[in-house]
Amino acid sequence: MRRIQMFMYTDIRVVPTMVVDRRSRNQAHGPSKLQITKNPKPKELPDLSTLKFGHTFTDHMLTIPWAVETGWGTPQIQPYGPLVLEPSSTVLHYAQTIFEGMKAYHDAEGRIRLFRPDMNMKRMNTSANRIALPTFDGVALLELIKELVRLDKHWIPKEPGHSLYIRPTLIGTQRAIGVSPPNEALLFVILSPVGPFYPNGFKPVALYGTTEFVRAAPGGTGAYKLGVNYAPGILPQKHAAKQGYAQNLWLHGPEHYLTEVGTMNLFVVFRKDGGSTFFSIPLEILMDSNFIYSGYELVTPPLDGMILPGVTRDSVLTLAREHASGAYTVPGLPEKLTITERPVTMKEVKKASESGTLVEMFGAGTAAVISPVDRIGYEGEDVLIPTGEDGMGPISRHIWTELIGRQTGTISSDWSVVI
């Protein structure tokens, strides 16, 4: 059995040698130290107009080694630079790697905020366990990440729509070829300033209904944020682009169930009548110009083992459910709203598009937050998705506004963590 050494700390104390002493909250694990080595050659801050997602990195990174005999080692914040790995490291042969995606924001008062970072820590541990990498104390790691962000806080752009992307990663580093749980690992965190996903306003994307390739399968690893899940999606992405589509809409099984959009979770909105989905309404009534619809159904595929449990996905569902129940009001969101986690097929989406009961479709994820969809290439034709003048729909528009407000602190929420 592996020995898990927690790296949990309280009482930050900065000393002249740039070593931050912290006491373990769990004394059974003893005290430890976060060692900080400042970059002697800090880089110039980039021109924000030239930022390309994931191409620019800050001056420092966090590293924490792990070994099966000793557990977690000393956390270090050090200058951003190359990692030293032997060619036999298991990550290079068997894709023993997991990662997370988070963001830090400047609020109007100049404070730094993270958005629901506890969920990222929980999911990262779940992913680690799935491929036999060591698990860790998420609260402790989050404190170390905060320290790294504080050190490089001047890299967080203050302009609207900008943020600092945070990429925690855990890799197996055992120096041996062979498929087994690694006896060594490395957890590291890097930071990258990023601009708005849609710098010139929302632009709906076109999706290619992908049946030739499979993103995930029951019993596989689709529900975990593993590096191995992403490389196989590059070729299908190129295939979609050649046909004029921006992303893959991953379809599963002979029924062509909708699962995810590119690397995002998926939402579909249908128009409803009195709590009945449009399938229970006769077509002649649906087509009657005097027919009045009385509500909306917000649908997303269930977490069935193939779907990644996204933080943004959960946030969308929580906001919508609180609004529908009356526990919280999302300004502008329709009152009559039903939220459902259920399977959705392309047959259902296509029929709704043709009947006029398809309201909108959008992806949800850390990078874009909300990404509206305007058409799906499916079996040789385009299925059209309604969008508003601003590129969004009546549900996504107001949920996006609420999420951005909570992320940046303009809307008070315990989801926003000030560091």
PDB file of all heavy atoms in Angstrom, residues 101-124:
ATOM      1  N   GLY A 101      -7.753  22.548 -15.045  1.00  0.00           N
ATOM      2  CA  GLY A 101      -7.764  23.886 -15.606  1.00  0.00           C
ATOM      3  C   GLY A 101      -8.557  24.816 -14.705  1.00  0.00           C
ATOM      4  O   GLY A 101      -9.727  24.546 -14.415  1.00  0.00           O
ATOM      5  N   MET A 102      -7.914  25.886 -14.226  1.00  0.00           N
ATOM      6  CA  MET A 102      -8.545  26.842 -13.323  1.00  0.00           C
ATOM      7  C   MET A 102      -8.172  28.253 -13.781  1.00  0.00           C
ATOM      8  O   MET A 102      -7.285  28.420 -14.616  1.00  0.00           O
ATOM      9  CB  MET A 102      -8.059  26.632 -11.882  1.00  0.00           C
ATOM     10  CG  MET A 102      -8.128  25.214 -11.381  1.00  0.00           C
ATOM     11  SD  MET A 102      -7.041  24.891  -9.958  1.00  0.00           S
ATOM     12  CE  MET A 102      -7.595  26.114  -8.782  1.00  0.00           C
ATOM     13  N   LYS A 103      -8.836  29.254 -13.210  1.00  0.00           N
ATOM     14  CA  LYS A 103      -8.500  30.633 -13.547  1.00  0.00           C
ATOM     15  C   LYS A 103      -8.483  31.514 -12.298  1.00  0.00           C
ATOM     16  O   LYS A 103      -9.259  31.304 -11.361  1.00  0.00           O
ATOM     17  CB  LYS A 103      -9.493  31.209 -14.555  1.00  0.00           C
ATOM     18  CG  LYS A 103      -9.319  30.709 -15.980  1.00  0.00           C
ATOM     19  CD  LYS A 103     -10.307  31.383 -16.913  1.00  0.00           C
ATOM     20  CE  LYS A 103     -10.096  30.947 -18.358  1.00  0.00           C
ATOM     21  NZ  LYS A 103     -11.083  31.588 -19.262  1.00  0.00           N
ATOM     22  N   ALA A 104      -7.584  32.507 -12.325  1.00  0.00           N
ATOM     23  CA  ALA A 104      -7.550  33.555 -11.308  1.00  0.00           C
ATOM     24  C   ALA A 104      -7.941  34.869 -11.976  1.00  0.00           C
ATOM     25  O   ALA A 104      -7.540  35.139 -13.115  1.00  0.00           O
ATOM     26  CB  ALA A 104      -6.158  33.669 -10.685  1.00  0.00           C
ATOM     27  N   TYR A 105      -8.733  35.686 -11.266  1.00  0.00           N
ATOM     28  CA  TYR A 105      -9.247  36.927 -11.821  1.00  0.00           C
ATOM     29  C   TYR A 105      -8.911  38.103 -10.906  1.00  0.00           C
ATOM     30  O   TYR A 105      -8.827  37.951  -9.682  1.00  0.00           O
ATOM     31  CB  TYR A 105     -10.775  36.870 -11.968  1.00  0.00           C
ATOM     32  CG  TYR A 105     -11.299  35.680 -12.723  1.00  0.00           C
ATOM     33  CD1 TYR A 105     -11.495  34.447 -12.095  1.00  0.00           C
ATOM     34  CD2 TYR A 105     -11.620  35.775 -14.074  1.00  0.00           C
ATOM     35  CE1 TYR A 105     -11.995  33.357 -12.785  1.00  0.00           C
ATOM     36  CE2 TYR A 105     -12.125  34.694 -14.782  1.00  0.00           C
ATOM     37  CZ  TYR A 105     -12.304  33.482 -14.128  1.00  0.00           C
ATOM     38  OH  TYR A 105     -12.794  32.398 -14.807  1.00  0.00           O
ATOM     39  N   HIS A 106      -8.765  39.280 -11.486  1.00  0.00           N
ATOM     40  CA  HIS A 106      -8.709  40.529 -10.735  1.00  0.00           C
ATOM     41  C   HIS A 106     -10.134  41.048 -10.602  1.00  0.00           C
ATOM     42  O   HIS A 106     -10.875  41.099 -11.587  1.00  0.00           O
ATOM     43  CB  HIS A 106      -7.866  41.579 -11.470  1.00  0.00           C
ATOM     44  CG  HIS A 106      -6.459  41.665 -10.985  1.00  0.00           C
ATOM     45  ND1 HIS A 106      -6.131  41.933  -9.670  1.00  0.00           N
ATOM     46  CD2 HIS A 106      -5.286  41.544 -11.641  1.00  0.00           C
ATOM     47  CE1 HIS A 106      -4.815  41.960  -9.541  1.00  0.00           C
ATOM     48  NE2 HIS A 106      -4.276  41.715 -10.720  1.00  0.00           N
ATOM     49  N   ASP A 107     -10.535  41.456  -9.393  1.00  0.00           N
ATOM     50  CA  ASP A 107     -11.838  42.089  -9.268  1.00  0.00           C
ATOM     51  C   ASP A 107     -11.682  43.615  -9.304  1.00  0.00           C
ATOM     52  O   ASP A 107     -10.566  44.140  -9.441  1.00  0.00           O
ATOM     53  CB  ASP A 107     -12.568  41.614  -8.008  1.00  0.00           C
ATOM     54  CG  ASP A 107     -11.898  42.052  -6.706  1.00  0.00           C
ATOM     55  OD1 ASP A 107     -11.042  42.967  -6.740  1.00  0.00           O
ATOM     56  OD2 ASP A 107     -12.250  41.498  -5.660  1.00  0.00           O
ATOM     57  N   ALA A 108     -12.778  44.327  -9.190  1.00  0.00           N
ATOM     58  CA  ALA A 108     -12.757  45.783  -9.319  1.00  0.00           C
ATOM     59  C   ALA A 108     -11.956  46.462  -8.216  1.00  0.00           C
ATOM     60  O   ALA A 108     -11.468  47.581  -8.401  1.00  0.00           O
ATOM     61  CB  ALA A 108     -14.194  46.319  -9.326  1.00  0.00           C
ATOM     62  N   GLU A 109     -11.810  45.793  -7.088  1.00  0.00           N
ATOM     63  CA  GLU A 109     -11.043  46.353  -5.966  1.00  0.00           C
ATOM     64  C   GLU A 109      -9.584  45.923  -5.991  1.00  0.00           C
ATOM     65  O   GLU A 109      -8.822  46.206  -5.067  1.00  0.00           O
ATOM     66  CB  GLU A 109     -11.676  45.932  -4.623  1.00  0.00           C
ATOM     67  CG  GLU A 109     -12.969  46.649  -4.296  1.00  0.00           C
ATOM     68  CD  GLU A 109     -14.130  46.160  -5.143  1.00  0.00           C
ATOM     69  OE1 GLU A 109     -14.210  44.935  -5.382  1.00  0.00           O
ATOM     70  OE2 GLU A 109     -14.939  47.003  -5.576  1.00  0.00           O
ATOM     71  N   GLY A 110      -9.170  45.207  -7.026  1.00  0.00           N
ATOM     72  CA  GLY A 110      -7.788  44.788  -7.146  1.00  0.00           C
ATOM     73  C   GLY A 110      -7.462  43.494  -6.429  1.00  0.00           C
ATOM     74  O   GLY A 110      -6.306  43.074  -6.403  1.00  0.00           O
ATOM     75  N   ARG A 111      -8.478  42.842  -5.868  1.00  0.00           N
ATOM     76  CA  ARG A 111      -8.244  41.557  -5.211  1.00  0.00           C
ATOM     77  C   ARG A 111      -8.201  40.433  -6.232  1.00  0.00           C
ATOM     78  O   ARG A 111      -8.712  40.560  -7.335  1.00  0.00           O
ATOM     79  CB  ARG A 111      -9.350  41.287  -4.182  1.00  0.00           C
ATOM     80  CG  ARG A 111      -9.346  42.263  -3.012  1.00  0.00           C
ATOM     81  CD  ARG A 111     -10.561  42.079  -2.138  1.00  0.00           C
ATOM     82  NE  ARG A 111     -11.792  42.361  -2.869  1.00  0.00           N
ATOM     83  CZ  ARG A 111     -13.001  42.411  -2.303  1.00  0.00           C
ATOM     84  NH1 ARG A 111     -13.138  42.176  -1.003  1.00  0.00           N
ATOM     85  NH2 ARG A 111     -14.074  42.687  -3.039  1.00  0.00           N
ATOM     86  N   ILE A 112      -7.585  39.315  -5.835  1.00  0.00           N
ATOM     87  CA  ILE A 112      -7.459  38.159  -6.715  1.00  0.00           C
ATOM     88  C   ILE A 112      -8.475  37.108  -6.290  1.00  0.00           C
ATOM     89  O   ILE A 112      -8.621  36.801  -5.101  1.00  0.00           O
ATOM     90  CB  ILE A 112      -6.042  37.576  -6.653  1.00  0.00           C
ATOM     91  CG1 ILE A 112      -5.009  38.643  -6.995  1.00  0.00           C
ATOM     92  CG2 ILE A 112      -5.901  36.385  -7.605  1.00  0.00           C
ATOM     93  CD1 ILE A 112      -3.594  38.236  -6.680  1.00  0.00           C
ATOM     94  N   ARG A 113      -9.155  36.548  -7.274  1.00  0.00           N
ATOM     95  CA  ARG A 113     -10.205  35.573  -6.988  1.00  0.00           C
ATOM     96  C   ARG A 113     -10.011  34.293  -7.790  1.00  0.00           C
ATOM     97  O   ARG A 113      -9.591  34.338  -8.949  1.00  0.00           O
ATOM     98  CB  ARG A 113     -11.587  36.162  -7.314  1.00  0.00           C
ATOM     99  CG  ARG A 113     -11.982  37.329  -6.430  1.00  0.00           C
ATOM    100  CD  ARG A 113     -13.312  37.927  -6.865  1.00  0.00           C
ATOM    101  NE  ARG A 113     -13.751  38.997  -5.978  1.00  0.00           N
ATOM    102  CZ  ARG A 113     -14.515  38.822  -4.912  1.00  0.00           C
ATOM    103  NH1 ARG A 113     -14.955  37.596  -4.609  1.00  0.00           N
ATOM    104  NH2 ARG A 113     -14.864  39.826  -4.147  1.00  0.00           N
ATOM    105  N   LEU A 114     -10.347  33.171  -7.169  1.00  0.00           N
ATOM    106  CA  LEU A 114     -10.436  31.881  -7.839  1.00  0.00           C
ATOM    107  C   LEU A 114     -11.892  31.463  -7.854  1.00  0.00           C
ATOM    108  O   LEU A 114     -12.666  31.852  -6.970  1.00  0.00           O
ATOM    109  CB  LEU A 114      -9.601  30.819  -7.110  1.00  0.00           C
ATOM    110  CG  LEU A 114      -8.107  31.086  -6.942  1.00  0.00           C
ATOM    111  CD1 LEU A 114      -7.469  29.964  -6.122  1.00  0.00           C
ATOM    112  CD2 LEU A 114      -7.425  31.199  -8.288  1.00  0.00           C
ATOM    113  N   PHE A 115     -12.271  30.658  -8.847  1.00  0.00           N
ATOM    114  CA  PHE A 115     -13.665  30.242  -8.978  1.00  0.00           C
ATOM    115  C   PHE A 115     -13.825  28.757  -8.680  1.00  0.00           C
ATOM    116  O   PHE A 115     -13.324  27.912  -9.423  1.00  0.00           O
ATOM    117  CB  PHE A 115     -14.169  30.551 -10.391  1.00  0.00           C
ATOM    118  CG  PHE A 115     -15.618  30.235 -10.601  1.00  0.00           C
ATOM    119  CD1 PHE A 115     -16.609  31.012 -10.004  1.00  0.00           C
ATOM    120  CD2 PHE A 115     -16.014  29.170 -11.398  1.00  0.00           C
ATOM    121  CE1 PHE A 115     -17.954  30.729 -10.190  1.00  0.00           C
ATOM    122  CE2 PHE A 115     -17.347  28.876 -11.599  1.00  0.00           C
ATOM    123  CZ  PHE A 115     -18.326  29.656 -10.993  1.00  0.00           C
ATOM    124  N   ARG A 116     -14.437  28.443  -7.571  1.00  0.00           N
ATOM    125  CA  ARG A 116     -14.747  27.083  -7.147  1.00  0.00           C
ATOM    126  C   ARG A 116     -13.521  26.152  -7.234  1.00  0.00           C
ATOM    127  O   ARG A 116     -13.604  25.032  -7.771  1.00  0.00           O
ATOM    128  CB  ARG A 116     -15.897  26.502  -7.968  1.00  0.00           C
ATOM    129  CG  ARG A 116     -17.146  27.366  -7.977  1.00  0.00           C
ATOM    130  CD  ARG A 116     -18.333  26.656  -8.592  1.00  0.00           C
ATOM    131  NE  ARG A 116     -18.908  25.664  -7.661  1.00  0.00           N
ATOM    132  CZ  ARG A 116     -19.940  24.886  -7.946  1.00  0.00           C
ATOM    133  NH1 ARG A 116     -20.497  24.941  -9.148  1.00  0.00           N
ATOM    134  NH2 ARG A 116     -20.402  24.027  -7.070  1.00  0.00           N
ATOM    135  N   PRO A 117     -12.380  26.558  -6.709  1.00  0.00           N
ATOM    136  CA  PRO A 117     -11.168  25.740  -6.854  1.00  0.00           C
ATOM    137  C   PRO A 117     -11.239  24.418  -6.112  1.00  0.00           C
ATOM    138  O   PRO A 117     -10.525  23.476  -6.465  1.00  0.00           O
ATOM    139  CB  PRO A 117     -10.078  26.644  -6.273  1.00  0.00           C
ATOM    140  CG  PRO A 117     -10.795  27.505  -5.275  1.00  0.00           C
ATOM    141  CD  PRO A 117     -12.137  27.780  -5.899  1.00  0.00           C
ATOM    142  N   ASP A 118     -12.105  24.319  -5.096  1.00  0.00           N
ATOM    143  CA  ASP A 118     -12.232  23.060  -4.365  1.00  0.00           C
ATOM    144  C   ASP A 118     -12.717  21.933  -5.280  1.00  0.00           C
ATOM    145  O   ASP A 118     -12.339  20.770  -5.104  1.00  0.00           O
ATOM    146  CB  ASP A 118     -13.198  23.227  -3.187  1.00  0.00           C
ATOM    147  CG  ASP A 118     -14.567  23.756  -3.630  1.00  0.00           C
ATOM    148  OD1 ASP A 118     -14.607  24.775  -4.361  1.00  0.00           O
ATOM    149  OD2 ASP A 118     -15.590  23.152  -3.248  1.00  0.00           O
ATOM    150  N   MET A 119     -13.544  22.286  -6.273  1.00  0.00           N
ATOM    151  CA  MET A 119     -14.035  21.264  -7.193  1.00  0.00           C
ATOM    152  C   MET A 119     -12.922  20.739  -8.094  1.00  0.00           C
ATOM    153  O   MET A 119     -12.890  19.553  -8.439  1.00  0.00           O
ATOM    154  CB  MET A 119     -15.178  21.827  -8.034  1.00  0.00           C
ATOM    155  CG  MET A 119     -16.426  22.121  -7.232  1.00  0.00           C
ATOM    156  SD  MET A 119     -17.873  22.400  -8.289  1.00  0.00           S
ATOM    157  CE  MET A 119     -18.139  20.759  -8.960  1.00  0.00           C
ATOM    158  N   ASN A 120     -12.001  21.613  -8.481  1.00  0.00           N
ATOM    159  CA  ASN A 120     -10.862  21.166  -9.274  1.00  0.00           C
ATOM    160  C   ASN A 120      -9.980  20.222  -8.482  1.00  0.00           C
ATOM    161  O   ASN A 120      -9.474  19.217  -9.012  1.00  0.00           O
ATOM    162  CB  ASN A 120     -10.036  22.365  -9.736  1.00  0.00           C
ATOM    163  CG  ASN A 120     -10.795  23.253 -10.700  1.00  0.00           C
ATOM    164  OD1 ASN A 120     -11.334  24.274 -10.309  1.00  0.00           O
ATOM    165  ND2 ASN A 120     -10.842  22.864 -11.959  1.00  0.00           N
ATOM    166  N   MET A 121      -9.760  20.519  -7.200  1.00  0.00           N
ATOM    167  CA  MET A 121      -8.930  19.651  -6.374  1.00  0.00           C
ATOM    168  C   MET A 121      -9.577  18.275  -6.207  1.00  0.00           C
ATOM    169  O   MET A 121      -8.916  17.239  -6.293  1.00  0.00           O
ATOM    170  CB  MET A 121      -8.702  20.302  -4.998  1.00  0.00           C
ATOM    171  CG  MET A 121      -7.971  21.645  -5.039  1.00  0.00           C
ATOM    172  SD  MET A 121      -6.271  21.539  -5.687  1.00  0.00           S
ATOM    173  CE  MET A 121      -6.522  21.988  -7.415  1.00  0.00           C
ATOM    174  N   LYS A 122     -10.886  18.275  -6.002  1.00  0.00           N
ATOM    175  CA  LYS A 122     -11.601  17.004  -5.839  1.00  0.00           C
ATOM    176  C   LYS A 122     -11.519  16.172  -7.112  1.00  0.00           C
ATOM    177  O   LYS A 122     -11.248  14.964  -7.074  1.00  0.00           O
ATOM    178  CB  LYS A 122     -13.055  17.286  -5.468  1.00  0.00           C
ATOM    179  CG  LYS A 122     -13.896  16.030  -5.298  1.00  0.00           C
ATOM    180  CD  LYS A 122     -15.343  16.391  -4.939  1.00  0.00           C
ATOM    181  CE  LYS A 122     -16.199  15.129  -4.800  1.00  0.00           C
ATOM    182  NZ  LYS A 122     -17.619  15.472  -4.465  1.00  0.00           N
ATOM    183  N   ARG A 123     -11.753  16.823  -8.262  1.00  0.00           N
ATOM    184  CA  ARG A 123     -11.722  16.085  -9.526  1.00  0.00           C
ATOM    185  C   ARG A 123     -10.319  15.588  -9.847  1.00  0.00           C
ATOM    186  O   ARG A 123     -10.140  14.494 -10.377  1.00  0.00           O
ATOM    187  CB  ARG A 123     -12.247  16.972 -10.660  1.00  0.00           C
ATOM    188  CG  ARG A 123     -12.371  16.231 -11.985  1.00  0.00           C
ATOM    189  CD  ARG A 123     -13.062  17.090 -13.027  1.00  0.00           C
ATOM    190  NE  ARG A 123     -12.283  18.275 -13.369  1.00  0.00           N
ATOM    191  CZ  ARG A 123     -12.673  19.211 -14.232  1.00  0.00           C
ATOM    192  NH1 ARG A 123     -13.853  19.100 -14.823  1.00  0.00           N
ATOM    193  NH2 ARG A 123     -11.917  20.254 -14.504  1.00  0.00           N
ATOM    194  N   MET A 124      -9.302  16.377  -9.517  1.00  0.00           N
ATOM    195  CA  MET A 124      -7.935  15.965  -9.787  1.00  0.00           C
ATOM    196  C   MET A 124      -7.568  14.714  -8.987  1.00  0.00           C
ATOM    197  O   MET A 124      -6.895  13.806  -9.487  1.00  0.00           O
ATOM    198  CB  MET A 124      -6.969  17.108  -9.473  1.00  0.00           C
ATOM    199  CG  MET A 124      -5.547  16.865  -9.974  1.00  0.00           C
ATOM    200  SD  MET A 124      -4.527  18.344  -9.790  1.00  0.00           S
ATOM    201  CE  MET A 124      -2.967  17.722 -10.477  1.00  0.00           C
TER     202      MET A 124
END
